[in-house]
Structure formats: structure tokens, C-alpha cells
Amino acid sequence: MTTHKNLLGGPDPTYLPENEEAYRLLGEESQPPAEVAAKHPTFSLAWAMLADDAFEAGRVVESYAYARTGYHRGLDSLRRAGWKGHGPIPWDHRANRGFLRCLAALARAAGEINEKDETERCWQFLKDSSAEAYTELKR
């Protein structure tokens, strides 16, 4: 077995575990994100979808609440996966996308309710965690 040393000296990337059941409910069974979040409350992708839907419908405070919930559930999951509060959270790993989308949704909604510090903090956190996610989600 070959191990790869991080030559940049920073922490190794964090990869959240997959939740195949939650993906199946969203995909194959076409269950609404609210039902999936109720069955799998740690599944940040469902919270991100709820936040996006609420934002698009003009319900910014609701979007903020969904995004904050998914963000905090994601932080808990990251810590359980060995994350120490900083370091890469790769966008190309499907299970990380829910957390990263919640972080972007939180930044977006915070901006709409004039939480300037929160907006800047969340966008910077996203950029520091995954430049690819930042490019993809900050539109």
C-alpha cells in the first residue's frame, strides 16, 4: 500500500461518508428534500436543496434557517470524519457537496438579510475549503 504525504504541510482532505439511502430517496424514489431531511437529518444535501428552493421562492429567512441547519449538521459530520476545523473539503467528493452547498446558501442568504460579516466569513470559508466549490457556487 502506498501512502501519499501532503507536501504542502496542511491537513489532508476530509471526505464525508456517503449516505446511499438518502441519495436513493432523493433520486430513485423522488422524495421531497423535506422528507429526506426528516428521515436523515445529518444529510446536508437535503438541507441545501431546501435552502435553495426557499431562496428561489423569495423566502430568504427560511432559506437562511435551512442553510444554517445543514451547515451545522455538516460541521458535526466533518468533525466525526476527522476534520480539525480547517483544511480541504473536496468538491469532487459527492458526499462533501451537501455541506459545501449549505455553506454557499448560508453566505447568499446572510447577504440578503444584511449580515455582512457572516456573508464574508462564509464565502471565505467556502473558498478556503474548496476553490472549486467556490467557483461553482458563487454566482
Side-chain angles (χ1 to χ4, degrees), residues 37-127:
K39 290 177 184 169
H40 299 277
T42 63
F43 186 60
S44 290
L45 179 60
W47 296 106
M49 294 170 77
L50 289 166
D52 290 346
D53 291 347
F55 192 85
E56 289 171 15
R59 300 185 319 269
V60 176
V61 172
E62 187 177 322
S63 176
Y64 183 90
Y66 286 134
R68 179 153 301 281
T69 300
Y71 165 77
H72 280 288
R73 298 312 297 258
L75 285 176
D76 293 342
S77 294
L78 284 165
R79 288 183 188 110
R80 281 192 299 278
W83 185 73
K84 303 292 185 205
H86 67 286
I89 305 168
W91 173 251
D92 63 357
H93 180 65
R94 178 176 77 158
N96 289 352
R97 287 186 176 202
F99 169 75
L100 295 167
R101 283 182 54 184
C102 281
L103 184 53
L106 184 58
R108 179 186 63 214
E112 289 294 313
I113 62 171
N114 296 316
E115 286 281 342
K116 186 176 191 278
D117 291 343
E118 178 82 345
T119 302
E120 291 173 7
R121 181 188 68 78
C122 289
W123 285 127
Q124 188 62 53
F125 184 10
L126 182 63
K127 189 175 187 179

Side-chain angles (χ1 to χ4, degrees), residues 6 10-15 78 83 86-90 96 128-130:
N6 184 338
D12 290 332
T14 302
Y15 299 97
L78 284 165
W83 185 73
H86 67 286
I89 305 168
N96 289 352
D128 292 345
S129 299
S130 172

Side-chain angles (χ1 to χ4, degrees), residues 21-32 35-36 39:
E21 171 69 9
Y23 287 116
R24 186 185 63 73
L25 293 174
L26 283 174
E28 293 173 25
E29 296 197 16
S30 300
Q31 287 192 10
E35 289 181 25
V36 176
K39 290 177 184 169

